[in-house]
């Protein structure tokens, strides 16, 4: 029987009941303050850097000082644990900082034109000295192009993944998987050139009296090519995570394989599939090169994705960012903020719908 059990009957020996020396919070703060003061003296007094170098060097001094002080108070093992924990927190902060910087920059600069005129007008008849003009035509184009691309890529991608996981065996399945992996790394400009050479220059003249035609639908085809491998790979991985006993239980009840896939496998993997689809949608919504090559861009509103040039938000940002007008940068930042917000809304909506599957009720 331990000394703790003899002195306090009924008390269980747990780490909370073991008294160890711990580094006081005040000491931790003093070490941090001293580290950053030393870093500021080393960097700012000679004038060899700015506050960024002070922060980096101060954090290094803090880790060294924390390891030394904690080693004297808590012991070497506890000091190593505290130092590694601080490194993990540092890595987390470093990973969050770029995202926070992007969000802050988008919000701070994008609110300049966040008004009704921006969302209700196009750039038709807008000159370089005109402060008005908006991205209504670009929003319509993005929704139509990405929507059509999603309607084409999602069924093909999900069916392809089902084949690879549930039916695919032998060399053909390996060949399909290989080409999907190759397509995952294809540059967007290559997809745009493929649709330009095939659809715009060869197919579209059949429907336009022998003349090639740019269109939003051509942009949707290029975006679908880019979305397809992402959807196939993500869906394949999600289907492989479905436990085998779920399939076996369905087969044991006499349910055919196709019905097991529809009623058991797909509902179980649906949240992961939706995540993969939204990643593909986010990539497609942000592509500029394919839209520029096969849709051409336009200053006016075009609701028909099958006839005439059409704009998109990503192409609108690209054009406004390179425009000489002093009002163009504000339009570009607001369009970028609108694009991010649009993808965020679609992702949240898709996640909420994915939760309402049969197996989660």
């Amino acid at each position: 029987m331990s000394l703790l059990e003899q002195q306090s009957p009924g008390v269980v020996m747990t780490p909370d009941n073991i008294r160890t020396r711990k580094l006081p919070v005040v000491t931790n703060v003093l070490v941090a303050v001293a580290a950053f003061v030393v870093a500021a003296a080393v960097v700012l007094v000679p004038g060899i850097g700015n506050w960024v170098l002070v922060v980096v060097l101060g954090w290094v001094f803090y880790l060294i000082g924390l390891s030394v002080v904690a080693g004297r108070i808590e012991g070497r093992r506890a000091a190593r644990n505290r130092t590694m924990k601080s490194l993990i927190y540092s890595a987390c902060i470093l990973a969050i900082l770029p995202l926070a910087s992007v969000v802050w920059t988008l919000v701070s600069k994008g609110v300049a034109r966040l008004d009704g005129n921006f969302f209700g007008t196009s750039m038709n008849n807008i000159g370089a000295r005109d402060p008005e003009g908006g991205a209504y035509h670009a929003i319509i184009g993005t929704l139509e192009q990405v929507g059509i691309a999603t309607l084409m890529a999602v069924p093909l991608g999900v069916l392809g993944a089902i084949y690879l996981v549930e039916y695919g065996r032998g060399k053909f399945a390996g060949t399909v998987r290989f080409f999907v992996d190759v397509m995952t790394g294809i540059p967007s400009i290559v997809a745009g050139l493929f649709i330009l050479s095939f659809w715009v220059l060869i197919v579209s003249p059949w429907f336009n009296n022998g003349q090639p035609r740019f269109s939003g639908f051509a942009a949707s085809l290029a975006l679908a090519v880019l979305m397809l491998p992402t959807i196939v790979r993500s869906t394949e991985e999600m289907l492989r995570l479905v436990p085998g006993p779920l399939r076996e239980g369905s087969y044991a009840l006499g349910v055919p394989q196709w019905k097991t896939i529809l009623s058991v496998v797909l509902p179980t993997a649906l949240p992961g599939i939706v995540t993969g689809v939204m990643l593909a949608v986010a990539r497609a919504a942000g592509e500029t090169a394919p839209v520029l090559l096969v849709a051409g861009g336009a200053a006016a509103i075009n609701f028909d994705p099958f006839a005439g040039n059409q704009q998109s938000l990503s192409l609108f940002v690209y054009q406004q960012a390179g425009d000489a007008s002093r009002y163009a940068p504000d339009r570009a930042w607001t369009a970028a903020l609108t694009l991010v917000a649009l993808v965020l809304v679609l992702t949240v909506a898709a996640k909420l719908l994915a939760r309402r599957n049969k197996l989660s009720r």
Side-chain angles (χ1 to χ4, degrees):
M1 181 177 294
S2 64
L3 180 62
L4 178 64
E5 294 176 345
Q6 294 177 357
Q7 296 179 353
S8 304
V11 177
V12 182
M13 180 71 75
T14 62
D16 295 334
N17 295 325
I18 301 177
R19 295 182 179 179
T20 58
R21 299 181 64 186
K22 292 185 178 181
L23 184 68
V25 178
V26 177
T27 305
N28 200 342
V29 173
L30 291 177
V31 171
V33 171
F36 283 99
V37 169
V38 172
V42 171
V43 174
L44 298 181
V45 173
I48 61 176
N50 55 13
W51 63 271
V52 177
L53 184 59
V54 172
V55 172
V56 174
L57 197 60
W59 192 252
V60 173
F61 288 163
Y62 167 71
L63 291 177
I64 297 174
L66 179 66
S67 178
V68 173
V69 175
R72 290 183 174 275
I73 297 177
E74 298 179 330
R76 295 175 56 186
R77 180 178 298 180
R80 285 196 298 268
N81 178 69
R82 186 178 290 274
T83 304
M84 291 298 108
K85 187 184 296 185
S86 300
L87 287 175
I88 293 174
Y89 289 156
S90 303
C92 180
I93 294 173
L94 288 176
I96 293 175
L97 279 178
L99 177 61
S101 176
V102 170
V103 172
W104 171 255
T105 304
L106 278 176
V107 173
S108 61
K109 295 187 176 182
V111 296
R113 281 299 315 276
L114 208 62
D115 49 39
N117 180 267
F118 182 83
F119 294 102
T121 61
S122 67
M123 292 298 296
N124 197 25
N125 298 325
I126 299 296
R129 297 183 178 181
D130 194 341
E132 303 297 327
Y136 178 66
H137 60 308
I139 297 174
I140 295 298
T142 297
L143 292 175
E144 290 185 351
Q145 294 163 20
V146 176
I148 295 174
T150 303
L151 291 177
M152 291 186 292
V154 171
L156 292 176
V158 173
L159 289 175
I162 290 175
Y163 167 76
L164 292 176
V165 175
E166 303 293 339
Y167 299 99
R169 300 293 185 275
K171 294 183 179 180
F172 181 73
T175 303
V176 172
R177 192 175 288 108
F178 170 76
F179 280 105
V180 168
D181 292 336
V182 171
M183 288 179 62
T184 303
I186 184 174
S188 60
I189 191 71
V190 175
L193 288 172
F194 169 69
I195 299 301
L196 176 67
S197 61
F198 171 68
W199 182 266
V200 176
L201 299 180
I202 297 178
V203 178
S204 67
W206 297 353
F207 308 98
N208 194 35
N209 299 323
Q211 298 295 323
R213 173 189 290 177
F214 287 163
S215 64
F217 181 73
S220 298
L221 291 175
L223 297 179
V225 171
L226 297 173
M227 293 173 63
L228 189 59
T230 302
I231 295 174
V232 172
R233 292 300 294 163
S234 60
T235 304
E236 180 184 1
E237 294 302 323
M238 290 302 104
L239 293 179
R240 292 187 185 279
L241 291 177
V242 177
L246 290 179
R247 296 182 177 89
E248 296 169 359
S250 180
Y251 298 152
L253 295 174
V255 180
Q257 186 175 9
W258 67 269
K259 199 168 184 179
T260 299
I261 295 172
L262 290 178
S263 58
V264 177
V265 178
L266 286 179
T268 305
L270 186 59
I273 295 174
V274 170
T275 300
V277 170
M278 294 314 301
L279 288 175
V281 168
R283 180 190 179 185
E287 291 293 345
T288 303
V291 182
L292 180 62
L293 282 175
V294 300
I301 300 171
N302 180 14
F303 290 98
D304 188 359
F306 299 98
N309 291 23
Q310 198 174 50
Q311 187 68 288
S312 72
L313 278 172
S314 57
L315 183 56
F316 181 83
V317 172
Y318 170 76
Q319 292 174 341
Q320 292 298 312
D323 199 299
S325 173
R326 66 189 183 97
Y327 302 108
D330 289 340
R331 300 191 194 106
W333 282 111
T334 304
L337 178 61
T338 303
L339 180 59
V340 172
L342 182 63
V343 173
L344 177 62
V345 170
L346 293 176
T347 302
V348 172
K351 285 288 188 180
L352 293 177
L353 291 176
R355 290 181 180 180
R356 303 183 60 183
N357 59 76
K358 293 181 179 179
L359 296 184
S360 63
R361 292 180 179 175

